[in-house]
Amino acid sequence: MIRFIHTADWQIGRQYGQVEADESYALAEARFSAVERIASLASEHSVHAVLVAGDVFDAQTVSDKTIHRLFAALRGYQGPWFLLPGNHDAALTESVWARAVRLNAIPENVQVCQKPEPCLVPGTQAVILPAPLAQRHTYNDLTEWFAHRQTEPGVYRLGLAHGCVQGILAEDIDSTNPVAAERAATARLDYLALGDWHGAKQVDERTWYSGTPEPDRWKDNGAGNVLLVELESPGRTPKVTPIPTAHYRWRSESRNIQVSSDVDAVEALLSALDAHDVLQLNLSGQVDLAGRRRVIAAIGRARGLARCIRADTEALAFEPTQEDVDALGADGYLGEAIANLRKEQGAPEGAVPREALLILATLLDKQKAEGAAT
Amino acid sequence: MKLTCIRLEAFRQFRAPIEIAGLAEGINLFTGPNETGKSTLAQAVRAAFFERHRSGSVEHLRPWGDTSATPTVELEFTFGGKHYRLTKAFLGKKRCALTVDGKPMDGTEAEDHLAELFGFRYAGKGASQAECWGIPGLLWMEQGGAQELTEPVEHASAYLQKALGKSVGELASSDGDRVLAEVERLRNELLTPAAGAPRGAFTEAIAQRNKLKEELDTVSSGVAEYRSAVDRFAELKQEHARDEHGKPWEGLRASARRAQGELDAVDELERTQQQENVALKAATAQVALLVERLSNFRKQEQDRTEFRGKVDTAKSTVQRALQEVAIREAAVTSAKTTLQSAQDLRRLVLQEAARREALRRSETAASQLRSLTDVLDKVEAQERNLATLRTAAEALSLPADVLNLLRKQQGELDGLHAKLSAVATRLRFKLNDGQRLQIGKEQVSGAGEVLLVEPTTIVLPGMGVLEVAPGESDASELSGQIVSLQSSHQALLQQWGVRSLAAAEARALEYATQQIRIREAEAMLTALVPKGLDLLRTEKANASGEAQQSADALAQFPPPPVNAESLPTPAEAENAEESARGQVTRLESELTSARMAHSGASASVGELERQLLALEGLVSAPDRAAAIEQANADLVSANAAKNVLASGIEARAAKISEARPEVLQQDVERFQKSADELSRRFGARHEELLRLGTDLKVKGALGLEERRAELERDQEQLGRRVVELERRSRALDYLLKLLQAKRAEVTKRLHAPLQLRMNHYLGILMPGAQLTLREDLSPESLVRKTGQGQQSGELEEMSFGCREQLGVISRFAYADLLLNAGRPTMLILDDALVHSDEERLRQMKRVLFDAATRHQVLLFTCHPEKWTDLGVAARSLAELRSTKASDVMAVA
């Protein structure tokens, strides 16, 4: 019986432009934390090894500091780590791995599988067959050799690869670094640990994408886990248990507001956020003055709750009622202007009038509030 | 509104109280020269309204020098059907009292009521300023200020708007302008007011984004460079490993060596070829030599045959020549015989002639002697000695010409002999002791030399005879000449009784000696017998001697031949001899030729025979056959050797040509260069690897991609901000334009009544012209119809007079609006329109009259004559003052 953790796509060094500057730093930091958590989990579950199926680093030329930090984050688990070069950190002649070696940053218990050669997992009957990428892209199936490599009977055969399983990832059909769909079977693998796909995904009973341990995009595909893999004996079907590791929940929510209760729902959604949430909120539909005030206020409050909110209200039209207009004190030509803008915001080129209407309403609202205050 | 009464006291020029009552509706005209208080009156009205009664800043209202006075103004007016009385006392006893229809109002309350009613405000502190004056400030025109409109309108604007706003109130917006200003402010924070270009935070965001983009581009290209350098590094490393293992230059070096070996072999062949060529040349030469040698052998045999023929021919030639010589010799012998006869005959003829001469002389002498003897017998005795001498001398006598002739002959003979000796054949001999030879007629022994002038027979005792025929020479002729000359000489000698020339010479010498003796004897005889006796004797002696001599001479001659009488003459004999000698000479010459021909032919035969002999010797030499055989054998072997060499050379040349040494040389160079190049590239690649490796290490540590990721992140964030700002700025701009447009619409509606009034008055002054209004209701520009269409001009750009007229018109228009809005209107024109020309002034008077039908107008002027047609009576301020002068004085 062996037990190990399968993870991949750490993408250390990734930066987040899709959120604001102060938020992006925390998100980048979270990737190191995720690795630290994996180390803790590995210790906690007393695994025999941790297999990282490629893209440990997001790029070849990360700073020295980043390299040191990554390897330092592994300290929590003193058992063997097997790191596989992926397409982002391919084992080129000069690579992040070569630099790590030069920097003397790689601890002894960490093995970088830079060559397609079997690696023994110390203290076990397991052999890892790695398929490292030695180029950024390849059109050959680097796992081909797994099938031809014989091992002693009674040895666990564990494949470690980074690429696209052909035929199952529809949008990646033409992509590089292919992996044959039935590789686990043809190569008599007990388990094939894959990386590249950022969501956790089972390909067949012995083949899994672990996904990235810390999500990095608003795509709900099961990212944010590592896989605890247990094999009773060679040849038996592995027991695979996803363990959540994500610190941040990346969520993308879309809401269409038509009536006041829709605003209630948005308020409820926003008030339920906490510091782990990285939310993308897309609002559409229409609100009156009150609805708008509530939505703005709810978003403002939620910013204090969540790690990050990316709210897109561009598609949310402002439809002030006559009462609203009166309440805003928009008499005379202001009233006429508001009437114009209300009419124009519905037109195909309505974005600018809609924004103008919002500005005008905001100004009036503010003046009114100031007037009320004085 | 109608001002009905003004009272002043202690007010500037008006120290004394003055009352102007009974002011009418419409125009009130006040006239007076300068300094009569027109403006003070207007000022008093202003002070009454604008200055707080408690103000301490109104010292200027006091009469000059009167520091304790209490300037007081009292006004009465009606408005809205109510009667107002306002009393204002400043400085001294400050007071403000207002009664409205008898209802009193005091102090500040009164003042504020008036301000509200008329539309002005009080200064916070100090004297009231123009900006506080509001509507009255606009309507009450100060002296020289009618043309100023902008500021007064600005100061009155708020009151005007407020006053007029009511009429169009429902169209205006209560907060509109504030919102508009805020929108404009917000908009102008992001966009430049005029061009609408980004500014402030917007520009900064764009600039920052551009800067980021630039930096990102730089870093991106750095990343791309780095990546391609990594690829290059990998490629180089692979190539390096391949070359290090394969060492491709070694194969090329081996090829170069192989090619060099082949080239060396070809060089060796070429050297051999050169040697063989030399050998071939030698062999060819030897073959030629042998061929020539063999040809020589053949030629010798041909020559022999030829020479044999030649010898035969030459021999027959000699035979013919010999025959001819014999014929010629016979002819010569015959001719010589003839000559001999001729010579003999001539000698005989000459001898006979000489005998006859001698005979004649003898006979003459004898005769002479006999005659003389007779004569001389008588003197002979005496002269015996002399005679003897003379006789002796006479015997020795020899004429000089004879001697000379003899000498000449002897000389010629000697010459001929010498010539003969030269041309004669010399026969030298050296005989053994005891041996003798007969040469010609001479016996010789021992050694010696004989000259042979003619064929001579040499008798070899016991052996035979050698006949020597001297060759080509004229010895024979010379000999003939000698004989001929000898005989002439001999005859002459004989004639003169001498044996030889030497004898003749001796006799001549002796004769000369004898002559000397004779001359001595004659001298003695002459001395003894000086007359002709000597001569006679001499003659007798001579004759005697002559006779003796000639007898002796005659005696020496042989007896005359029998045929003496038939002998030819000496000349004939000489001719015959000469002819015979000529014949001999000719024939001898021919003989000589024949002999020479013979001799030549003989010599030729000798030469030919000698050559033939040599040829025979050669041809019949004992080793000749062997030599020819040897030569033939040599030729065969030399040809064989030559052929071997030639074919060897040909084969080798083909080999060399086939080997293509120049191509081999190129191969050597090519292989070497290629090897060098590969080796060099290997070295260079190694260097580049080291350099690139170091470079990559350095660049890798820069964290370029991490930096790029950061930049991309920042750019994305900033990009969103720029988009937001752009959207906001566009929205603000849009909003601003919308609000401005809306507001302009409202303003236009607001301006409509004012515009109407403006055009009403303008129609009187300038028919067809229009004034456009600014938003603050002040006139902006004047649009006039001209021949070229509409012409627009800014008010500020117009002439002073025109601006003044428009200023007045505008104020009437405002007054009309204010009247409609139920506000008090009263207008003051202080010395206005002084700059108008007559025509304009006339029109302005019509305007004024028209306005005055609705408003009260106070008109002050120092030119009363210009205003006589207003239909009102003028009040003279000077008159008013003088009326009250006593009162003024009393107060003072």
Side-chain angles (χ1 to χ4, degrees), chain A residues 15 61 63 93 314 333 344, chain B residues 177 234 705-706 713 727 734:
Chain A
Q15 300 294 336
T61 50
S63 66
T93 315
E314 217 176 311
Y333 64 86
E344 285 166 7
Chain B
D177 286 1
E705 282 165 299
E706 194 170 331
R713 177 198 65 201
R727 200 169 57 206
Y734 186 80

Side-chain angles (χ1 to χ4, degrees), chain A residues 15-20 24 59-63 66 93 99 102 136 310 314 331-333 344 355 363, chain B residues 172-174 176-177 179 182 226-227 231 234 697 700 703-706 713 716-717 720 727 731 734 743:
Chain A
Q15 300 294 336
Y16 298 88
Q18 60 268 59
V19 299
E20 292 311 305
S24 63
Q60 296 280 10
T61 50
V62 294
S63 66
T66 301
T93 315
R99 289 178 52 220
R102 279 205 299 278
R136 292 180 196 98
R310 189 69 199 279
E314 217 176 311
D331 56 354
Y333 64 86
E344 285 166 7
E355 180 83 11
L363 278 176
Chain B
S173 170
S174 48
D177 286 1
V179 171
E182 183 63 7
Y226 176 81
R227 283 191 172 183
D231 292 346
K697 282 174 194 166
L704 278 177
E705 282 165 299
E706 194 170 331
R713 177 198 65 201
E716 197 176 340
Q717 289 163 356
R720 280 201 305 276
R727 200 169 57 206
Y734 186 80
R743 192 175 183 285

